[in-house]
Amino acid sequence: MDHYDSQQTNDYMQPEEDWDRDLLLDPAWEKQQRKTFTAWCNSHLRKAGTQIENIEEDFRDGLKLMLLLEVISGERLAKPERGKMRVHKISNVNKALDFIASKGVKLVSIGAEEIVDGNVKMTLGMIWTIILRFAIQDISVEETSAKEGLLLWCQRKTAPYKNVNIQNFHISWKDGLGFCALIHRHRPELIDYGKLRKDDPLTNLNTAFDVAEKYLDIPKMLDAEDIVGTARPDEKAIMTYVSSFYHAFSGAQKAETAANRICKVLAVNQENEQLMEDYEKLASDLLEWIRRTIPWLENRVPENTMHAMQQKLEDFRDYRRLHKPPKVQEKCQLEINFNTLQTKLRLSNRPAFMPSEGRMVSDINNAWGCLEQAEKGYEEWLLNEIRRLERLDHLAEKFRQKASIHEAWTDGKEAMLRQKDYETATLSEIKALLKKHEAFESDLAAHQDRVEQIAAIAQELNELDYYDSPSVNARCQKICDQWDNLGALTQKRREALERTEKLLETIDQLYLEYAKRAAPFNNWMEGAMEDLQDTFIVHTIEEIQGLTTAHEQFKATLPDADKERLAILGIHNEVSKIVQTYHVNMAGTNPYTTITPQEINGKWDHVRQLVPRRDQALTEEHARQQHNERLRKQFGAQANVIGPWIQTKMEEIGRISIEMHGTLEDQLSHLRQYEKSIVNYKPKIDQLEGDHQLIQEALIFDNKHTNYTMEHIRVGWEQLLTTIARTINEVENQILTRDAKGISQEQMNEFRASFNHFDRDHSGTLGPEEFKACLISLGYDIGNDPQGEAEFARIMSIVDPNRLGVVTFQAFIDFMSRETADTDTADQVMASFKILAGDKNYITVDELRRELPPDQAEYCIARMAPYNGPDSVPGALDYMSFSTALYGESDL
């Protein structure tokens, strides 16, 4: 033993001096120590991600030895040498031995050279010294320590178990029942102790070792056969193994003690914590609602139809009318609850309440601001989308009309252009065909503008993201392809006719003239019909008046058009006369055009019918715009009254909050009357909301009669309600502080006068410099030296615990009341306890019920429930227990 144990361990391991040092060389003991010490070292080295295999070889370079000491001590050793030479290894081992010596252990006969040389005896001795110092020395049970303490702990824990008699750390453990008893005492569910037999040590030992390794994180340090097959197991191996059980189970005891201590502390602050939980829940619910609502407001997925977008607008109105107002009230109530909680904490000399991260009042205000910003953007998006869909519907209808007219015109044109009738025609027929083709080209050129318009409308529909763009694009592409094909066919036919023209020279000029004049006149009539049937969208009287003026100008051109029609019909009549007179074989048709006089007359009659319909449509739209203008004026008149009224009320509330007329109760009464008058104004707001809804249903998007929008009125109204509620809450807190601290009305007036004097910007708060000047004016000696700055920093930490950079009037009077009010101190209350207790130095429950009012007596009894009074008087409290119950351990 003395070969490698330290001097310090000799103090509490004295009985081992009698052991025969030669026993250390016993192979059985050496095997047990090797296995146990290796397992013990690995149980700590695995925390650093490593292990050892051979105890005398793996510690020779000193690296893992230093790492082991760092893990079990929790301290950093000197930086090790990384070289492979013997001198580097000796240096590392010396650093480890020096660290062991620094812990008060005197090493005897153990040198770095023996460890580096792999001396088994010295290595085992060094590890045993480390185990004694770090795993056994600190064990203390009933004023005994180290080996005696560990032995006493084992005896106490195994005393109730039969066939277990722990007297030492060798033969008392051979049957394995001692290990099983320790496990069963602390974790009875792991071992069925009643089934164990003393005459079956191998089963007992294997059961204990397997359970400890599996459920207690204690590695297997010995084999059952090694213990049973040895007359006297190695004491060091057994002590090392048992100490692991001690440390595994002692942690649970400490955790239980700490839990009991925490329960006592939690009982003292239960009421304020409930208030804090209520705030956190209300704040969490409100933030969650905002979090769920903002994505809905930020959803900008457009609908394909006007009906769907109008339904979205109606849903948004329901949100404004039904869902948001209760949340506005919850937000206001949350701020009131927060201010009340802070006041109660200040009055009970408790630290200010700091909500969890992301749930401060400022966080809620920021989230609310984001909500309102998203709300504003959502409404603007809805209105823009409605305008866009309205524009898209108009363009789509216009596209369909123009496309239908063009397709009707092109119907049969390709077949006509592919005809080869000129091959068998006479000279006059060829001339006629050529002129007819020229007329067709003129007609084709006239239709070029319509094709371009169709393409432009399709392009605009694509740019505006029209939902049916694929079908529009397909139809437009078909028209363009057909138009290109018509152009190619027209050019090809012209070339063929021109080749034939050299042979055929006769032409009927009269038919040609008719065709040339009939074609543009026909186009003009078709364009006129399109314009007269075209839909229109206007938003102001000026726009409808412009359309009416253009329509009147069109009607003024009708007489000239009628003259042109009669002239064209006169040409046709002349052709008929020539054919009849000269017997021209024209087959009764004009070879240059397909436009007949009947067609011209029919279209002309249709134009004349469309003119009065257009007159009626313009008249109806003019009436509708006049109605919209009345709605604008009606809304503007009310908004121009309500907007300034809200601003005036905001300014009046600001003046009331800083004036000093009458008592705080008078100010509170005045503010509540003011609040009532504001709430009574709500019907006018609702009336304005109704007018605003009529404006939106009429799709009116601007109003030149007022600068106020409904959004401005809503925000102003919500701010007015929040401001009056917050101001009332501040006065209520001032009354609560005044009554709690015993401040007179004159003192309150003086505090308010001083506060208002230095509140230069009338914001209701003081900056640090303004607050410092106010304190100096009240007689505080706060200099510009470091001592004065430190004192002022201390005062600022009281009045501005959240470090917002401003001091409210409530915080100001709380601080002044703390400096001036005459309140009962804890010493005075405890002095009152001594008067009630008298000579017996305790108070019974019956005495409390007799001396105190019923509600206060029951509150005091409930607070005293966790504490014990004198053993001789059940249900009573002595001086120390009473003080702890009322003020808590931290205040004693």
Side-chain angles (χ1 to χ4, degrees):
M1 176 72 183
D2 56 80
H3 288 289
Y4 57 89
D5 281 356
S6 69
Q7 185 62 37
Q8 183 175 354
T9 57
N10 290 339
D11 296 338
Y12 50 81
M13 299 296 289
Q14 193 62 38
E16 297 187 17
E17 290 288 350
D18 299 333
W19 296 0
D20 187 349
R21 55 191 289 185
D22 292 336
L23 290 177
L24 294 173
L25 303 177
D26 184 82
W29 283 22
E30 180 180 334
K31 178 182 178 183
Q32 294 178 23
Q33 288 184 17
R34 279 173 176 269
K35 186 174 185 66
T36 303
F37 291 177
T38 300
W40 184 86
C41 292
N42 284 335
S43 70
H44 294 286
L45 286 173
R46 67 183 181 183
K47 299 175 183 176
T50 187
Q51 64 178 8
I52 61 172
E53 300 293 339
N54 190 315
I55 195 167
E56 69 270 18
E57 291 295 330
D58 292 346
F59 284 143
R60 290 181 62 184
D61 60 2
L63 295 177
K64 291 189 177 180
L65 179 59
M66 295 178 70
L67 181 60
L68 174 65
L69 291 172
E70 287 184 345
V71 171
I72 62 178
S73 68
E75 302 179 18
R76 297 289 297 177
L77 276 67
K79 185 176 181 181
E81 301 285 346
R82 294 296 179 180
K84 301 296 183 179
M85 300 177 63
R86 177 179 175 83
V87 64
H88 296 140
K89 298 179 180 179
I90 292 175
S91 174
N92 290 337
V93 175
N94 276 326
K95 291 177 182 178
L97 297 178
D98 291 343
F99 178 78
I100 297 172
S102 69
K103 298 301 178 181
V105 180
K106 184 177 180 182
L107 300 172
V108 179
S109 301
I110 298 178
E113 291 79 2
E114 289 83 355
I115 305 301
V116 173
D117 292 337
N119 188 309
V120 177
K121 181 177 67 173
M122 292 302 176
T123 302
L124 293 175
M126 176 189 66
I127 298 302
W128 174 241
T129 301
I130 293 173
I131 295 172
L132 284 175
R133 173 59 184 83
F134 292 100
I136 299 177
Q137 177 180 333
D138 294 335
I139 297 175
S140 177
V141 179
E142 296 184 8
E143 299 183 356
T144 62
S145 60
K147 177 180 179 181
E148 288 75 11
L150 182 61
L151 184 61
L152 181 58
W153 178 77
C154 295
Q155 292 170 344
R156 293 285 186 269
K157 297 297 181 181
T158 60
Y161 294 87
K162 64 179 181 179
N163 297 328
V164 179
N165 184 18
I166 304 300
Q167 298 296 327
N168 49 54
F169 287 106
H170 37 82
I171 60 176
S172 295
W173 302 85
K174 285 191 65 176
D175 57 10
L177 292 177
F179 289 105
C180 292
L182 285 178
I183 296 174
H184 186 267
R185 181 63 180 272
H186 294 89
R187 297 288 298 277
E189 76 279 6
L190 298 180
I191 291 180
D192 187 356
Y193 190 83
K195 294 184 178 180
L196 301 177
R197 295 186 295 109
K198 186 175 181 63
D199 59 354
D200 190 5
L202 282 175
T203 300
N204 299 339
L205 289 168
N206 284 325
T207 298
F209 295 165
D210 293 342
V211 169
E213 183 175 26
K214 184 176 181 180
Y215 297 103
L216 303 178
D217 199 27
I218 299 175
K220 190 173 183 180
M221 299 183 182
L222 288 171
D223 292 328
E225 293 78 6
D226 295 339
I227 297 177
V228 175
T230 305
R232 172 172 168 165
D234 180 62
E235 186 172 33
K236 299 180 180 62
I238 298 297
M239 282 182 65
T240 302
Y241 214 155
V242 173
S243 69
S244 298
F245 283 85
Y246 171 83
H247 290 294
F249 294 132
S250 64
Q253 255 181 330
K254 294 178 182 178
E256 182 179 357
T257 302
N260 292 334
R261 187 178 298 111
I262 292 173
C263 288
K264 294 179 182 179
V265 174
L266 292 176
V268 176
N269 298 316
Q270 185 174 5
E271 181 180 359
N272 284 342
E273 288 180 351
Q274 184 60 45
L275 291 175
M276 296 176 189
E277 290 176 3
D278 293 342
Y279 171 87
E280 290 281 350
K281 183 178 185 307
L282 188 57
S284 177
D285 292 345
L286 184 57
L287 288 171
E288 175 62 19
W289 178 82
I290 293 174
R291 184 190 67 79
R292 285 186 286 102
T293 303
I294 287 179
W296 175 68
L297 293 174
E298 290 179 343
N299 182 14
R300 300 295 191 268
V301 178
E303 299 292 343
N304 293 332
T305 64
M306 178 70 75
H307 175 74
M309 285 306 300
Q310 288 176 340
Q311 182 59 45
K312 278 184 175 287
L313 183 61
E314 185 63 29
D315 293 342
F316 182 71
R317 291 182 188 136
D318 289 341
Y319 157 79
R320 279 271 180 77
R321 292 193 304 265
L322 304 176
H323 303 297
K324 184 181 178 184
K327 298 303 177 181
V328 173
Q329 182 62 31
E330 287 181 16
K331 176 176 176 291
C332 179
Q333 187 62 43
L334 185 70
E335 295 180 5
I336 292 174
N337 292 349
F338 180 81
N339 294 334
T340 302
L341 175 60
Q342 297 293 38
T343 300
K344 289 184 177 181
L345 291 173
R346 285 194 294 270
L347 292 176
S348 59
N349 291 326
R350 295 294 182 184
F353 168 56
M354 290 293 294
S356 58
E357 183 178 358
R359 296 180 183 173
M360 296 286 292
V361 173
S362 59
D363 296 323
I364 294 174
N365 288 334
N366 291 337
W368 191 264
C370 294
L371 174 70
E372 292 186 333
Q373 186 65 28
E375 183 178 311
K376 179 181 179 182
Y378 186 69
E379 184 177 26
E380 293 175 353
W381 174 77
L382 282 176
L383 297 178
N384 289 334
E385 276 299 303
I386 289 175
R387 294 192 192 99
R388 185 181 71 85
L389 288 176
E390 189 178 43
R391 171 68 176 163
L392 283 174
D393 289 344
H394 170 69
L395 287 175
E397 181 62 25
K398 192 172 183 178
F399 173 83
R400 286 190 289 271
Q401 287 184 1
K402 288 186 176 294
S404 297
I405 293 172
H406 177 78
E407 289 167 349
W409 177 84
T410 58
D411 185 32
K413 295 296 189 294
E414 292 185 6
M416 180 196 72
L417 292 172
R418 288 191 174 93
Q419 288 180 358
K420 296 185 178 180
D421 49 349
Y422 54 84
E423 292 179 350
T424 58
T426 62
L427 181 60
S428 61
E429 290 174 341
I430 290 299
K431 290 290 185 178
L433 288 175
L434 185 58
K435 296 302 179 180
K436 181 180 178 181
H437 188 72
E438 290 177 356
F440 173 77
E441 287 180 330
S442 178
D443 199 10
L444 187 69
H447 281 80
Q448 176 67 34
D449 183 61
R450 181 181 290 118
V451 174
E452 292 175 355
Q453 290 177 5
I454 291 172
I457 294 173
Q459 178 64 27
E460 189 171 359
L461 287 171
N462 280 287
E463 293 173 354
L464 294 176
D465 196 21
Y466 182 55
Y467 77 96
D468 199 22
S469 291
S471 64
V472 170
N473 292 335
R475 191 172 184 182
C476 180
Q477 186 62 44
K478 181 179 179 182
I479 289 173
C480 292
D481 292 343
Q482 186 185 39
W483 184 256
D484 293 337
N485 192 32
L486 285 176
L489 291 175
T490 300
Q491 181 64 26
K492 183 177 180 181
R493 184 173 177 83
R494 166 169 280 280
E495 292 173 354
L497 291 173
E498 287 176 348
R499 285 194 302 270
T500 311
E501 187 182 16
K502 297 177 180 178
L503 301 175
L504 306 174
E505 301 176 348
T506 305
I507 186 170
D508 191 342
Q509 292 294 335
L510 199 55
Y511 269 153
L512 181 59
E513 183 180 358
Y514 171 88
K516 287 184 177 181
R517 295 182 67 174
F521 184 71
N522 181 66
N523 289 334
W524 175 86
M525 286 192 297
E526 289 178 350
M529 288 187 291
E530 283 186 47
D531 294 338
L532 291 172
Q533 296 178 90
D534 192 12
T535 58
F536 53 84
I537 299 174
V538 295
H539 299 287
T540 64
I541 291 180
E542 290 78 7
E543 292 178 357
I544 191 62
Q545 288 175 345
L547 290 177
T548 302
T549 301
H551 183 61
E552 293 299 326
Q553 292 174 353
F554 167 76
K555 289 196 293 184
T557 63
L558 292 178
D560 292 336
D562 190 37
K563 292 179 181 179
E564 178 66 12
R565 179 182 68 86
L566 293 175
I568 292 173
L569 293 178
I571 294 174
H572 178 75
N573 293 333
E574 185 67 21
V575 169
S576 299
K577 183 179 179 180
I578 294 173
V579 170
Q580 185 177 3
T581 302
Y582 296 100
H583 305 285
V584 178
N585 186 18
M586 300 299 296
T589 60
N590 190 331
Y592 303 112
T593 181
T594 60
I595 301 173
T596 66
Q598 294 78 13
E599 183 179 352
I600 292 176
N601 287 331
K603 290 182 178 180
W604 176 257
D605 292 339
H606 191 202
V607 171
R608 297 296 298 269
Q609 293 171 1
L610 290 175
V611 169
R613 296 179 189 174
R614 185 72 167 186
D615 289 335
Q616 182 180 358
L618 291 173
T619 302
E620 291 174 354
E621 181 62 25
H622 190 273
R624 189 177 75 88
Q625 289 303 322
Q626 287 179 329
H627 173 70
N628 290 350
E629 185 66 13
R630 286 194 298 272
L631 291 178
R632 290 188 183 94
K633 291 180 179 180
Q634 181 178 341
F635 178 85
Q638 294 186 70
N640 290 334
V641 173
I642 293 176
W645 180 87
I646 292 175
Q647 183 63 31
T648 300
K649 293 301 178 183
M650 290 287 290
E651 294 172 356
E652 290 175 356
I653 292 172
R655 288 197 299 272
I656 291 173
S657 64
I658 64 175
E659 288 175 351
M660 299 181 295
H661 298 315
T663 65
L664 290 176
E665 285 78 4
D666 295 337
Q667 294 182 25
L668 182 60
S669 176
H670 189 192
L671 285 171
R672 284 177 174 162
Q673 292 176 0
Y674 219 80
E675 182 184 32
K676 183 177 181 181
S677 68
I678 290 173
V679 172
N680 290 337
Y681 203 77
K682 182 65 164 58
K684 295 186 178 181
I685 302 295
D686 295 337
Q687 181 180 357
L688 189 63
E689 284 281 6
D691 292 343
H692 178 65
Q693 182 174 349
L694 293 176
I695 285 179
Q696 286 193 329
E697 290 172 352
L699 299 179
I700 299 174
F701 303 110
D702 52 9
N703 193 341
K704 65 183 179 180
H705 300 292
T706 181
N707 293 325
Y708 292 99
T709 66
M710 196 62 226
E711 180 63 23
H712 294 152
I713 300 298
R714 289 193 196 103
V715 172
W717 177 252
E718 292 170 1
Q719 290 177 349
L720 180 61
L721 293 178
T722 302
T723 301
I724 187 65
R726 187 185 299 114
T727 305
I728 289 174
N729 179 249
E730 290 175 356
V731 175
E732 288 174 342
N733 286 337
Q734 292 173 23
I735 293 174
L736 181 63
T737 302
R738 182 199 67 188
D739 294 342
K741 300 299 185 178
I743 303 174
S744 67
Q745 185 62 42
E746 290 74 13
Q747 289 176 310
M748 289 296 293
N749 291 340
E750 181 183 355
F751 293 158
R752 172 54 80 180
S754 299
F755 188 90
N756 290 345
H757 175 74
F758 289 96
D759 184 12
R760 308 294 187 188
D761 56 358
H762 304 290
S763 62
T765 59
L766 296 180
E769 293 301 323
E770 293 175 336
F771 177 60
K772 184 175 182 181
C774 183
L775 290 178
I776 294 173
S777 71
L778 292 174
Y780 281 81
D781 185 12
I782 302 177
N784 293 324
D785 55 352
Q787 182 178 358
E789 293 296 333
E791 174 62 15
F792 182 66
R794 180 190 70 82
I795 295 174
M796 283 298 293
S797 68
I798 296 173
V799 299
D800 184 19
N802 295 329
R803 297 183 180 180
L804 300 178
V806 295
V807 179
T808 63
F809 181 67
Q810 180 63 40
F812 175 69
I813 62 173
D814 286 344
F815 172 74
M816 296 306 299
S817 62
R818 183 180 298 183
E819 300 294 321
T820 60
D822 182 20
T823 58
D824 286 339
T825 63
D827 294 338
Q828 290 172 328
V829 174
M830 298 315 300
S832 301
F833 167 85
K834 292 182 178 179
I835 294 173
L836 293 177
D839 297 334
K840 61 182 183 297
N841 197 32
Y842 63 83
I843 297 177
T844 66
V845 172
D846 293 337
E847 287 173 338
L848 284 174
R849 290 194 173 105
R850 185 174 61 252
E851 298 295 339
L852 298 179
D855 55 343
Q856 296 180 358
E858 294 304 325
Y859 171 76
C860 189
I861 291 169
R863 291 295 300 269
M864 293 189 297
Y867 305 96
N868 296 321
D871 296 337
S872 60
V873 185
L877 283 185
D878 56 18
Y879 177 86
M880 183 58 67
S881 298
F882 183 81
S883 174
T884 303
L886 287 185
Y887 295 102
E889 296 180 1
S890 61
D891 295 334
L892 293 177

